[in-house]
Amino acid sequence: MKLLNRSLLYLSLAFFFIIGIWAIIFYFNLKDEIRDSIDDGLENNKLLLIQKIRTDTTLLSQNQFGGNNFEIHPISKQTALQQRDVYKDTLMYRANEDDLEPVRILHSAIKYGDKYYKLKVISSLVEEDDLIEDSFWSVVWLFVILVGSTLVINNLILRKLWNPFYDILKRLKNYRLDKEESVINTPTKTAEFRELQQASNTLIRHTQEVYTSQKQFTENASHELQTPLAIISNKLELLLESENLVQTDAQTIAEVITLVQRLTQLNKSLLLLAKIENKQFPEQSIITINELTKESWNNFEDFAQYKQLKINYDEAAKLKVIMDPSLAAILISNLMKNAIFHNTAGGSIHLKFNKHEFSICNTATNTPLQQEYIFTRFQKDASKTQSTGLGLAVCKAICDFYNLPINYSFFENQHCFTVNFKNILP
Amino acid sequence: MKILLVEDEKELRNTLVASLLKEQFVVETAENFSEAISKIAIYDYDCILLDVMLPDGSGLNILSELKAMGKSENVIIISAKDALDDKLKGLELGADDYLTKPFHIAELNARIKAVLRRKSLDGKNSIELGNLILNIDERTLTIEKKDIHLNRKEFDILNYFLLNKNRLITKTALAEYVWGDQIDQADNFDFIYYQIKNLRKKLQQSEADVSIESIYGIGYKLIEK
């Protein structure tokens, strides 16, 4: 529900209650006013009647309403003195409607000569049920017209008024961090929308700056750190070629070289993770995962042969996905690498494909990996000191980047990794 | 052979010069953009090692100048940046090769000699050492005029050793050269030993004038007998 129509909903509810309460108040005020008017009329009728009796004393004999609106009865002096003018509602039979109808009646007492008379004067009363009904429908129509006109005005005027907001919203929706976007510049006289635009531009500029500096760090870190690593590595290699070395010294230098090389590899992997998390791989290509696994296997074939590993493919389908080719290669290469290096001599690797899923299983020792930790950084088997422990973290980062579920299971002495590519199928 | 090294990092520059001198190259250096441009304009070099990030300008701009002079065919770009854009741009500007820091000295040697061989006008594309001839184009090895069969990896390994004769090649350098970067997580290098062992046997049985020696458990060296 749009804000436009949501505000209308609240407005309608407000109208409903306000008009309802007003109708009730108006009804009672109207009724009071009518009675007041009729009572004035009755008072006037009494005065006119008294004047008329002086010229026509036969009126004193009128003790039935009949065709007139009054009746007169003689009473004692004592009773007359106690009588005060009283106005009351009552019901009387009306011949024209053949029904009892509400009327207003005045009870009074008059004196003529030395005699006293009781006087009753009546006047028709507005029919209350009709009044209620008519008032109700008037109020209903007022409500309908009010809401209807508000709806029309909202859609015609407020929609135009809210255009800058929708424009700003659209620009924010389409914003992409990896592209250089111009600032939002929507003309508007509304202060709140100007503030919103200004805040949005501030946010965009700040986010862009953070992204750019992070990207630059990723690039510059490579330069700043890899150059000293290059110096260390090359100097040590030259030193190792020296003719003056004794065996133990050379052995020490060799160990340092190995450590520097691990540091180099660690640096590369961490930089790759940073790039993935900064979404710096925007290229999209259609990639067949089946073919990629075969290329990866070919790259490692010599080592696999050395360990006498067998590989078999279960290809129910060609698995085609849309993703960055270098990330795809890294993902498959890391999984294949793990399957080969963390395998038993004479073991096997089993790859299974269907339309949206790929799994790779390798024979293993009896020990399953810890599910909670295998995808975190620097997690590795203590007996394998050579690796950086980042291979699976890289795989996880790539899968998270594309929202691909990756799962580990241990079954029949095999490690299995399964990647579901359903979110990036062509 | 005359080599120009354009590198702003003093320690790395000195290290590389020491390594290149071992190969009997004549080495000149430039430590910034303007010095490099000046030397390139005056002299001809057989090979130029060009750093991308220089304090007073981009190495790629030097490459543009070289291309304008028609001298860009023998340039090896050296960069700490892994950026694919830089690599593509460099190769597009006519560079011969692209090397990412940190690299192994053996790798640099191999790249330089590949560039120098391509530059050679005699059209010969083989390496000769003693009684041994390795034909790069045909991927064949002859010892004492007799053909010796090598599989794909064995050929690559021997080629690498011949390009770096009498130099130490570490196991990781060899692994990266022959198998590429993906070998980083290998928990041992037994498979390299396996390949070296086979290669040694073939060389020995053929009475080759070269042999491959193990050095301190860290690598190997090919020596001429």
Side-chain angles (χ1 to χ4, degrees), chain A residues 222-223 230 234-235 237 240-241 250-251 261 299 302-303 306 337, chain B residues 11 15 80 103-105 153 167-168 172 179 182 184 190-191 216:
Chain A
S222 181
H223 181 261
N234 296 148
K235 278 187 178 294
E237 286 181 354
L240 205 51
E241 294 186 282
Q251 203 71 47
Q261 282 158 359
N299 286 336
D302 297 299
F303 190 70
Y306 173 73
K337 186 191 313 177
Chain B
E11 290 300 326
T15 305
F103 46 79
H104 301 281
I105 284 179
K153 290 296 196 294
R167 304 294 298 271
L168 167 73
T172 47
W179 285 277
Q182 64 262 17
D184 64 299
D190 287 355
F191 69 100
Y216 310 122

PDB file of all heavy atoms in Angstrom, chain A residues 222-223 230 234-235 237 240-241 250-251 261 299 302-303 306 337, chain B residues 11 15 80 103-105 153 167-168 172 179 182 184 190-191 216:
ATOM      1  N   SER A 222      48.803  -4.853  -2.492  1.00  0.00           N
ATOM      2  CA  SER A 222      49.535  -5.805  -3.319  1.00  0.00           C
ATOM      3  C   SER A 222      50.922  -5.258  -3.627  1.00  0.00           C
ATOM      4  O   SER A 222      51.925  -5.954  -3.512  1.00  0.00           O
ATOM      5  CB  SER A 222      48.755  -6.046  -4.610  1.00  0.00           C
ATOM      6  OG  SER A 222      49.412  -6.978  -5.419  1.00  0.00           O
ATOM      7  N   HIS A 223      50.959  -3.988  -4.010  1.00  0.00           N
ATOM      8  CA  HIS A 223      52.235  -3.374  -4.350  1.00  0.00           C
ATOM      9  C   HIS A 223      53.110  -3.198  -3.123  1.00  0.00           C
ATOM     10  O   HIS A 223      54.283  -3.551  -3.121  1.00  0.00           O
ATOM     11  CB  HIS A 223      51.983  -2.020  -5.016  1.00  0.00           C
ATOM     12  CG  HIS A 223      53.237  -1.321  -5.431  1.00  0.00           C
ATOM     13  ND1 HIS A 223      53.817  -0.323  -4.685  1.00  0.00           N
ATOM     14  CD2 HIS A 223      54.035  -1.498  -6.499  1.00  0.00           C
ATOM     15  CE1 HIS A 223      54.909   0.092  -5.286  1.00  0.00           C
ATOM     16  NE2 HIS A 223      55.072  -0.597  -6.389  1.00  0.00           N
ATOM     17  N   ALA A 230      59.252  -9.685  -2.521  1.00  0.00           N
ATOM     18  CA  ALA A 230      60.105  -9.986  -3.670  1.00  0.00           C
ATOM     19  C   ALA A 230      61.571  -9.778  -3.318  1.00  0.00           C
ATOM     20  O   ALA A 230      62.432 -10.590  -3.674  1.00  0.00           O
ATOM     21  CB  ALA A 230      59.706  -9.117  -4.858  1.00  0.00           C
ATOM     22  N   ASN A 234      64.198 -12.854  -3.370  1.00  0.00           N
ATOM     23  CA  ASN A 234      65.282 -12.860  -4.351  1.00  0.00           C
ATOM     24  C   ASN A 234      66.655 -12.793  -3.679  1.00  0.00           C
ATOM     25  O   ASN A 234      67.596 -13.458  -4.118  1.00  0.00           O
ATOM     26  CB  ASN A 234      65.109 -11.700  -5.331  1.00  0.00           C
ATOM     27  CG  ASN A 234      63.833 -11.835  -6.162  1.00  0.00           C
ATOM     28  OD1 ASN A 234      63.233 -10.840  -6.531  1.00  0.00           O
ATOM     29  ND2 ASN A 234      63.429 -13.058  -6.437  1.00  0.00           N
ATOM     30  N   LYS A 235      66.756 -12.002  -2.617  1.00  0.00           N
ATOM     31  CA  LYS A 235      68.048 -11.922  -1.917  1.00  0.00           C
ATOM     32  C   LYS A 235      68.427 -13.271  -1.312  1.00  0.00           C
ATOM     33  O   LYS A 235      69.589 -13.695  -1.362  1.00  0.00           O
ATOM     34  CB  LYS A 235      67.997 -10.853  -0.821  1.00  0.00           C
ATOM     35  CG  LYS A 235      68.217  -9.436  -1.338  1.00  0.00           C
ATOM     36  CD  LYS A 235      68.319  -8.439  -0.200  1.00  0.00           C
ATOM     37  CE  LYS A 235      68.579  -7.034  -0.701  1.00  0.00           C
ATOM     38  NZ  LYS A 235      69.879  -6.860  -1.348  1.00  0.00           N
ATOM     39  N   GLU A 237      67.458 -16.201  -2.342  1.00  0.00           N
ATOM     40  CA  GLU A 237      67.816 -17.143  -3.410  1.00  0.00           C
ATOM     41  C   GLU A 237      69.251 -16.905  -3.878  1.00  0.00           C
ATOM     42  O   GLU A 237      70.005 -17.854  -4.128  1.00  0.00           O
ATOM     43  CB  GLU A 237      66.833 -17.010  -4.576  1.00  0.00           C
ATOM     44  CG  GLU A 237      65.476 -17.625  -4.287  1.00  0.00           C
ATOM     45  CD  GLU A 237      64.510 -17.509  -5.449  1.00  0.00           C
ATOM     46  OE1 GLU A 237      64.864 -16.853  -6.443  1.00  0.00           O
ATOM     47  OE2 GLU A 237      63.405 -18.062  -5.348  1.00  0.00           O
ATOM     48  N   LEU A 240      71.591 -18.238  -1.301  1.00  0.00           N
ATOM     49  CA  LEU A 240      71.636 -19.694  -1.312  1.00  0.00           C
ATOM     50  C   LEU A 240      72.581 -20.216  -2.394  1.00  0.00           C
ATOM     51  O   LEU A 240      73.096 -21.327  -2.305  1.00  0.00           O
ATOM     52  CB  LEU A 240      70.221 -20.232  -1.529  1.00  0.00           C
ATOM     53  CG  LEU A 240      69.890 -21.631  -1.018  1.00  0.00           C
ATOM     54  CD1 LEU A 240      70.294 -21.770   0.440  1.00  0.00           C
ATOM     55  CD2 LEU A 240      68.415 -21.900  -1.172  1.00  0.00           C
ATOM     56  N   GLU A 241      72.802 -19.406  -3.426  1.00  0.00           N
ATOM     57  CA  GLU A 241      73.687 -19.829  -4.507  1.00  0.00           C
ATOM     58  C   GLU A 241      75.162 -19.562  -4.183  1.00  0.00           C
ATOM     59  O   GLU A 241      76.041 -19.905  -4.969  1.00  0.00           O
ATOM     60  CB  GLU A 241      73.317 -19.100  -5.802  1.00  0.00           C
ATOM     61  CG  GLU A 241      71.958 -19.480  -6.337  1.00  0.00           C
ATOM     62  CD  GLU A 241      71.699 -18.861  -7.692  1.00  0.00           C
ATOM     63  OE1 GLU A 241      71.381 -17.665  -7.747  1.00  0.00           O
ATOM     64  OE2 GLU A 241      71.833 -19.570  -8.703  1.00  0.00           O
ATOM     65  N   ALA A 250      72.921 -23.165   4.893  1.00  0.00           N
ATOM     66  CA  ALA A 250      72.072 -23.246   3.699  1.00  0.00           C
ATOM     67  C   ALA A 250      70.690 -23.785   4.054  1.00  0.00           C
ATOM     68  O   ALA A 250      69.677 -23.317   3.533  1.00  0.00           O
ATOM     69  CB  ALA A 250      72.738 -24.131   2.650  1.00  0.00           C
ATOM     70  N   GLN A 251      70.677 -24.760   4.949  1.00  0.00           N
ATOM     71  CA  GLN A 251      69.391 -25.333   5.359  1.00  0.00           C
ATOM     72  C   GLN A 251      68.500 -24.268   6.006  1.00  0.00           C
ATOM     73  O   GLN A 251      67.297 -24.198   5.748  1.00  0.00           O
ATOM     74  CB  GLN A 251      69.650 -26.480   6.345  1.00  0.00           C
ATOM     75  CG  GLN A 251      68.516 -27.471   6.420  1.00  0.00           C
ATOM     76  CD  GLN A 251      68.410 -28.305   5.158  1.00  0.00           C
ATOM     77  OE1 GLN A 251      69.408 -28.821   4.666  1.00  0.00           O
ATOM     78  NE2 GLN A 251      67.212 -28.411   4.625  1.00  0.00           N
ATOM     79  N   GLN A 261      57.738 -17.710   0.998  1.00  0.00           N
ATOM     80  CA  GLN A 261      56.821 -18.108  -0.067  1.00  0.00           C
ATOM     81  C   GLN A 261      55.415 -18.348   0.468  1.00  0.00           C
ATOM     82  O   GLN A 261      54.423 -18.008  -0.180  1.00  0.00           O
ATOM     83  CB  GLN A 261      57.366 -19.353  -0.771  1.00  0.00           C
ATOM     84  CG  GLN A 261      58.476 -18.989  -1.740  1.00  0.00           C
ATOM     85  CD  GLN A 261      59.402 -20.145  -2.073  1.00  0.00           C
ATOM     86  OE1 GLN A 261      59.251 -21.244  -1.563  1.00  0.00           O
ATOM     87  NE2 GLN A 261      60.370 -19.879  -2.926  1.00  0.00           N
ATOM     88  N   ASN A 299      45.052 -29.917 -14.900  1.00  0.00           N
ATOM     89  CA  ASN A 299      46.140 -29.154 -14.289  1.00  0.00           C
ATOM     90  C   ASN A 299      46.815 -29.921 -13.162  1.00  0.00           C
ATOM     91  O   ASN A 299      48.010 -29.775 -12.930  1.00  0.00           O
ATOM     92  CB  ASN A 299      45.613 -27.828 -13.742  1.00  0.00           C
ATOM     93  CG  ASN A 299      45.309 -26.847 -14.848  1.00  0.00           C
ATOM     94  OD1 ASN A 299      45.866 -26.950 -15.930  1.00  0.00           O
ATOM     95  ND2 ASN A 299      44.424 -25.907 -14.579  1.00  0.00           N
ATOM     96  N   ASP A 302      49.260 -34.661 -12.924  1.00  0.00           N
ATOM     97  CA  ASP A 302      50.528 -35.300 -12.570  1.00  0.00           C
ATOM     98  C   ASP A 302      50.555 -35.671 -11.096  1.00  0.00           C
ATOM     99  O   ASP A 302      50.969 -36.768 -10.723  1.00  0.00           O
ATOM    100  CB  ASP A 302      51.688 -34.364 -12.890  1.00  0.00           C
ATOM    101  CG  ASP A 302      51.754 -34.082 -14.369  1.00  0.00           C
ATOM    102  OD1 ASP A 302      51.933 -35.039 -15.136  1.00  0.00           O
ATOM    103  OD2 ASP A 302      51.596 -32.915 -14.752  1.00  0.00           O
ATOM    104  N   PHE A 303      50.096 -34.734 -10.283  1.00  0.00           N
ATOM    105  CA  PHE A 303      50.096 -35.009  -8.854  1.00  0.00           C
ATOM    106  C   PHE A 303      49.104 -36.118  -8.523  1.00  0.00           C
ATOM    107  O   PHE A 303      49.359 -36.971  -7.675  1.00  0.00           O
ATOM    108  CB  PHE A 303      49.756 -33.730  -8.082  1.00  0.00           C
ATOM    109  CG  PHE A 303      49.969 -33.864  -6.610  1.00  0.00           C
ATOM    110  CD1 PHE A 303      51.244 -33.950  -6.085  1.00  0.00           C
ATOM    111  CD2 PHE A 303      48.888 -33.927  -5.743  1.00  0.00           C
ATOM    112  CE1 PHE A 303      51.443 -34.086  -4.722  1.00  0.00           C
ATOM    113  CE2 PHE A 303      49.086 -34.061  -4.386  1.00  0.00           C
ATOM    114  CZ  PHE A 303      50.366 -34.148  -3.872  1.00  0.00           C
ATOM    115  N   TYR A 306      50.621 -39.313  -9.401  1.00  0.00           N
ATOM    116  CA  TYR A 306      51.619 -39.680  -8.403  1.00  0.00           C
ATOM    117  C   TYR A 306      50.949 -40.332  -7.199  1.00  0.00           C
ATOM    118  O   TYR A 306      51.485 -41.277  -6.618  1.00  0.00           O
ATOM    119  CB  TYR A 306      52.412 -38.438  -7.989  1.00  0.00           C
ATOM    120  CG  TYR A 306      53.356 -38.684  -6.855  1.00  0.00           C
ATOM    121  CD1 TYR A 306      54.530 -39.403  -7.048  1.00  0.00           C
ATOM    122  CD2 TYR A 306      53.074 -38.211  -5.584  1.00  0.00           C
ATOM    123  CE1 TYR A 306      55.394 -39.645  -5.996  1.00  0.00           C
ATOM    124  CE2 TYR A 306      53.939 -38.444  -4.534  1.00  0.00           C
ATOM    125  CZ  TYR A 306      55.096 -39.165  -4.749  1.00  0.00           C
ATOM    126  OH  TYR A 306      55.945 -39.397  -3.702  1.00  0.00           O
ATOM    127  N   LYS A 337      41.513 -29.079  -5.887  1.00  0.00           N
ATOM    128  CA  LYS A 337      42.796 -29.141  -5.183  1.00  0.00           C
ATOM    129  C   LYS A 337      42.647 -29.842  -3.843  1.00  0.00           C
ATOM    130  O   LYS A 337      43.425 -30.725  -3.485  1.00  0.00           O
ATOM    131  CB  LYS A 337      43.302 -27.710  -4.995  1.00  0.00           C
ATOM    132  CG  LYS A 337      44.670 -27.577  -4.418  1.00  0.00           C
ATOM    133  CD  LYS A 337      44.962 -26.136  -4.024  1.00  0.00           C
ATOM    134  CE  LYS A 337      44.602 -25.119  -5.084  1.00  0.00           C
ATOM    135  NZ  LYS A 337      44.839 -23.729  -4.647  1.00  0.00           N
TER     136      LYS A 337
ATOM    137  N   GLU B  11      66.554  -1.669  -3.142  1.00  0.00           N
ATOM    138  CA  GLU B  11      67.023  -2.991  -2.727  1.00  0.00           C
ATOM    139  C   GLU B  11      66.701  -4.045  -3.775  1.00  0.00           C
ATOM    140  O   GLU B  11      67.521  -4.918  -4.074  1.00  0.00           O
ATOM    141  CB  GLU B  11      66.398  -3.367  -1.384  1.00  0.00           C
ATOM    142  CG  GLU B  11      66.928  -2.560  -0.217  1.00  0.00           C
ATOM    143  CD  GLU B  11      68.431  -2.730  -0.039  1.00  0.00           C
ATOM    144  OE1 GLU B  11      68.942  -3.837  -0.307  1.00  0.00           O
ATOM    145  OE2 GLU B  11      69.098  -1.757   0.339  1.00  0.00           O
ATOM    146  N   THR B  15      69.349  -6.264  -6.010  1.00  0.00           N
ATOM    147  CA  THR B  15      69.271  -7.731  -6.010  1.00  0.00           C
ATOM    148  C   THR B  15      69.180  -8.268  -7.425  1.00  0.00           C
ATOM    149  O   THR B  15      69.862  -9.233  -7.785  1.00  0.00           O
ATOM    150  CB  THR B  15      68.055  -8.181  -5.198  1.00  0.00           C
ATOM    151  OG1 THR B  15      68.131  -7.607  -3.892  1.00  0.00           O
ATOM    152  CG2 THR B  15      67.980  -9.688  -5.086  1.00  0.00           C
ATOM    153  N   ALA B  80      53.834  -5.192  -9.301  1.00  0.00           N
ATOM    154  CA  ALA B  80      53.297  -5.748  -8.064  1.00  0.00           C
ATOM    155  C   ALA B  80      51.784  -5.851  -8.138  1.00  0.00           C
ATOM    156  O   ALA B  80      51.154  -6.517  -7.340  1.00  0.00           O
ATOM    157  CB  ALA B  80      53.701  -4.886  -6.874  1.00  0.00           C
ATOM    158  N   PHE B 103      58.527 -12.672  -7.698  1.00  0.00           N
ATOM    159  CA  PHE B 103      58.771 -13.768  -8.632  1.00  0.00           C
ATOM    160  C   PHE B 103      60.079 -14.451  -8.247  1.00  0.00           C
ATOM    161  O   PHE B 103      60.880 -13.921  -7.493  1.00  0.00           O
ATOM    162  CB  PHE B 103      58.860 -13.234 -10.059  1.00  0.00           C
ATOM    163  CG  PHE B 103      59.724 -12.018 -10.174  1.00  0.00           C
ATOM    164  CD1 PHE B 103      61.108 -12.123 -10.198  1.00  0.00           C
ATOM    165  CD2 PHE B 103      59.158 -10.761 -10.236  1.00  0.00           C
ATOM    166  CE1 PHE B 103      61.913 -11.004 -10.282  1.00  0.00           C
ATOM    167  CE2 PHE B 103      59.959  -9.628 -10.325  1.00  0.00           C
ATOM    168  CZ  PHE B 103      61.329  -9.750 -10.342  1.00  0.00           C
ATOM    169  N   HIS B 104      60.281 -15.634  -8.773  1.00  0.00           N
ATOM    170  CA  HIS B 104      61.538 -16.332  -8.537  1.00  0.00           C
ATOM    171  C   HIS B 104      62.568 -15.858  -9.555  1.00  0.00           C
ATOM    172  O   HIS B 104      62.243 -15.627 -10.714  1.00  0.00           O
ATOM    173  CB  HIS B 104      61.334 -17.836  -8.656  1.00  0.00           C
ATOM    174  CG  HIS B 104      60.328 -18.359  -7.682  1.00  0.00           C
ATOM    175  ND1 HIS B 104      60.630 -18.593  -6.365  1.00  0.00           N
ATOM    176  CD2 HIS B 104      59.018 -18.669  -7.825  1.00  0.00           C
ATOM    177  CE1 HIS B 104      59.549 -19.036  -5.743  1.00  0.00           C
ATOM    178  NE2 HIS B 104      58.560 -19.089  -6.601  1.00  0.00           N
ATOM    179  N   ILE B 105      63.807 -15.765  -9.106  1.00  0.00           N
ATOM    180  CA  ILE B 105      64.883 -15.333  -9.994  1.00  0.00           C
ATOM    181  C   ILE B 105      64.976 -16.259 -11.202  1.00  0.00           C
ATOM    182  O   ILE B 105      65.190 -15.815 -12.331  1.00  0.00           O
ATOM    183  CB  ILE B 105      66.218 -15.277  -9.226  1.00  0.00           C
ATOM    184  CG1 ILE B 105      66.220 -14.030  -8.343  1.00  0.00           C
ATOM    185  CG2 ILE B 105      67.393 -15.284 -10.168  1.00  0.00           C
ATOM    186  CD1 ILE B 105      67.462 -13.878  -7.516  1.00  0.00           C
ATOM    187  N   LYS B 153      55.755 -32.894 -19.183  1.00  0.00           N
ATOM    188  CA  LYS B 153      56.288 -32.226 -17.999  1.00  0.00           C
ATOM    189  C   LYS B 153      57.799 -32.338 -17.940  1.00  0.00           C
ATOM    190  O   LYS B 153      58.491 -31.393 -17.557  1.00  0.00           O
ATOM    191  CB  LYS B 153      55.656 -32.807 -16.737  1.00  0.00           C
ATOM    192  CG  LYS B 153      54.190 -32.462 -16.549  1.00  0.00           C
ATOM    193  CD  LYS B 153      53.993 -30.963 -16.375  1.00  0.00           C
ATOM    194  CE  LYS B 153      52.630 -30.620 -15.811  1.00  0.00           C
ATOM    195  NZ  LYS B 153      51.537 -30.953 -16.726  1.00  0.00           N
ATOM    196  N   ARG B 167      72.369 -22.471 -11.992  1.00  0.00           N
ATOM    197  CA  ARG B 167      71.671 -21.637 -11.018  1.00  0.00           C
ATOM    198  C   ARG B 167      70.765 -22.518 -10.174  1.00  0.00           C
ATOM    199  O   ARG B 167      70.232 -23.516 -10.649  1.00  0.00           O
ATOM    200  CB  ARG B 167      70.807 -20.567 -11.706  1.00  0.00           C
ATOM    201  CG  ARG B 167      71.557 -19.666 -12.654  1.00  0.00           C
ATOM    202  CD  ARG B 167      72.576 -18.779 -11.950  1.00  0.00           C
ATOM    203  NE  ARG B 167      71.973 -17.859 -10.990  1.00  0.00           N
ATOM    204  CZ  ARG B 167      71.544 -16.644 -11.291  1.00  0.00           C
ATOM    205  NH1 ARG B 167      71.601 -16.219 -12.543  1.00  0.00           N
ATOM    206  NH2 ARG B 167      71.058 -15.866 -10.352  1.00  0.00           N
ATOM    207  N   LEU B 168      70.586 -22.098  -8.930  1.00  0.00           N
ATOM    208  CA  LEU B 168      69.657 -22.816  -8.059  1.00  0.00           C
ATOM    209  C   LEU B 168      68.216 -22.561  -8.504  1.00  0.00           C
ATOM    210  O   LEU B 168      67.841 -21.430  -8.782  1.00  0.00           O
ATOM    211  CB  LEU B 168      69.826 -22.340  -6.612  1.00  0.00           C
ATOM    212  CG  LEU B 168      68.719 -22.772  -5.648  1.00  0.00           C
ATOM    213  CD1 LEU B 168      68.834 -24.253  -5.321  1.00  0.00           C
ATOM    214  CD2 LEU B 168      68.746 -21.933  -4.385  1.00  0.00           C
ATOM    215  N   THR B 172      59.663 -24.733  -5.158  1.00  0.00           N
ATOM    216  CA  THR B 172      58.434 -23.990  -5.421  1.00  0.00           C
ATOM    217  C   THR B 172      58.512 -23.260  -6.748  1.00  0.00           C
ATOM    218  O   THR B 172      57.529 -23.163  -7.471  1.00  0.00           O
ATOM    219  CB  THR B 172      58.135 -22.991  -4.302  1.00  0.00           C
ATOM    220  OG1 THR B 172      59.329 -22.276  -3.996  1.00  0.00           O
ATOM    221  CG2 THR B 172      57.635 -23.703  -3.063  1.00  0.00           C
ATOM    222  N   TRP B 179      53.653 -26.364 -13.138  1.00  0.00           N
ATOM    223  CA  TRP B 179      52.256 -26.658 -12.820  1.00  0.00           C
ATOM    224  C   TRP B 179      51.399 -25.423 -12.573  1.00  0.00           C
ATOM    225  O   TRP B 179      50.209 -25.538 -12.430  1.00  0.00           O
ATOM    226  CB  TRP B 179      52.166 -27.583 -11.601  1.00  0.00           C
ATOM    227  CG  TRP B 179      52.542 -28.993 -11.937  1.00  0.00           C
ATOM    228  CD1 TRP B 179      51.752 -29.944 -12.477  1.00  0.00           C
ATOM    229  CD2 TRP B 179      53.829 -29.579 -11.759  1.00  0.00           C
ATOM    230  NE1 TRP B 179      52.456 -31.101 -12.649  1.00  0.00           N
ATOM    231  CE2 TRP B 179      53.737 -30.913 -12.224  1.00  0.00           C
ATOM    232  CE3 TRP B 179      55.052 -29.135 -11.261  1.00  0.00           C
ATOM    233  CZ2 TRP B 179      54.813 -31.791 -12.203  1.00  0.00           C
ATOM    234  CZ3 TRP B 179      56.116 -30.004 -11.241  1.00  0.00           C
ATOM    235  CH2 TRP B 179      56.000 -31.316 -11.706  1.00  0.00           C
ATOM    236  N   GLN B 182      48.476 -22.965  -8.943  1.00  0.00           N
ATOM    237  CA  GLN B 182      47.507 -23.707  -8.145  1.00  0.00           C
ATOM    238  C   GLN B 182      48.133 -24.759  -7.262  1.00  0.00           C
ATOM    239  O   GLN B 182      47.451 -25.421  -6.502  1.00  0.00           O
ATOM    240  CB  GLN B 182      46.468 -24.369  -9.053  1.00  0.00           C
ATOM    241  CG  GLN B 182      47.033 -25.428  -9.982  1.00  0.00           C
ATOM    242  CD  GLN B 182      47.285 -24.887 -11.369  1.00  0.00           C
ATOM    243  OE1 GLN B 182      47.330 -23.683 -11.564  1.00  0.00           O
ATOM    244  NE2 GLN B 182      47.450 -25.777 -12.337  1.00  0.00           N
ATOM    245  N   ASP B 184      49.947 -24.387  -4.787  1.00  0.00           N
ATOM    246  CA  ASP B 184      50.419 -23.795  -3.532  1.00  0.00           C
ATOM    247  C   ASP B 184      50.088 -24.619  -2.306  1.00  0.00           C
ATOM    248  O   ASP B 184      50.775 -24.537  -1.299  1.00  0.00           O
ATOM    249  CB  ASP B 184      49.822 -22.398  -3.364  1.00  0.00           C
ATOM    250  CG  ASP B 184      48.320 -22.455  -3.235  1.00  0.00           C
ATOM    251  OD1 ASP B 184      47.676 -22.925  -4.181  1.00  0.00           O
ATOM    252  OD2 ASP B 184      47.801 -22.039  -2.193  1.00  0.00           O
ATOM    253  N   ASP B 190      56.810 -34.342  -3.158  1.00  0.00           N
ATOM    254  CA  ASP B 190      57.261 -35.668  -3.586  1.00  0.00           C
ATOM    255  C   ASP B 190      57.045 -35.876  -5.074  1.00  0.00           C
ATOM    256  O   ASP B 190      57.842 -36.538  -5.740  1.00  0.00           O
ATOM    257  CB  ASP B 190      56.511 -36.753  -2.806  1.00  0.00           C
ATOM    258  CG  ASP B 190      56.988 -36.826  -1.365  1.00  0.00           C
ATOM    259  OD1 ASP B 190      57.949 -36.095  -1.035  1.00  0.00           O
ATOM    260  OD2 ASP B 190      56.408 -37.600  -0.592  1.00  0.00           O
ATOM    261  N   PHE B 191      55.957 -35.301  -5.587  1.00  0.00           N
ATOM    262  CA  PHE B 191      55.682 -35.522  -6.999  1.00  0.00           C
ATOM    263  C   PHE B 191      56.723 -34.845  -7.873  1.00  0.00           C
ATOM    264  O   PHE B 191      56.985 -35.294  -8.991  1.00  0.00           O
ATOM    265  CB  PHE B 191      54.268 -35.054  -7.354  1.00  0.00           C
ATOM    266  CG  PHE B 191      54.086 -33.573  -7.289  1.00  0.00           C
ATOM    267  CD1 PHE B 191      54.109 -32.810  -8.439  1.00  0.00           C
ATOM    268  CD2 PHE B 191      53.889 -32.936  -6.079  1.00  0.00           C
ATOM    269  CE1 PHE B 191      53.940 -31.436  -8.395  1.00  0.00           C
ATOM    270  CE2 PHE B 191      53.714 -31.567  -6.023  1.00  0.00           C
ATOM    271  CZ  PHE B 191      53.744 -30.818  -7.175  1.00  0.00           C
ATOM    272  N   TYR B 216      70.629 -28.821  -0.879  1.00  0.00           N
ATOM    273  CA  TYR B 216      70.176 -28.559   0.492  1.00  0.00           C
ATOM    274  C   TYR B 216      68.724 -28.941   0.752  1.00  0.00           C
ATOM    275  O   TYR B 216      68.118 -28.434   1.668  1.00  0.00           O
ATOM    276  CB  TYR B 216      70.331 -27.070   0.846  1.00  0.00           C
ATOM    277  CG  TYR B 216      71.675 -26.490   0.555  1.00  0.00           C
ATOM    278  CD1 TYR B 216      71.805 -25.405  -0.297  1.00  0.00           C
ATOM    279  CD2 TYR B 216      72.825 -27.017   1.126  1.00  0.00           C
ATOM    280  CE1 TYR B 216      73.041 -24.858  -0.579  1.00  0.00           C
ATOM    281  CE2 TYR B 216      74.073 -26.483   0.854  1.00  0.00           C
ATOM    282  CZ  TYR B 216      74.174 -25.404  -0.006  1.00  0.00           C
ATOM    283  OH  TYR B 216      75.400 -24.864  -0.277  1.00  0.00           O
TER     284      TYR B 216
END
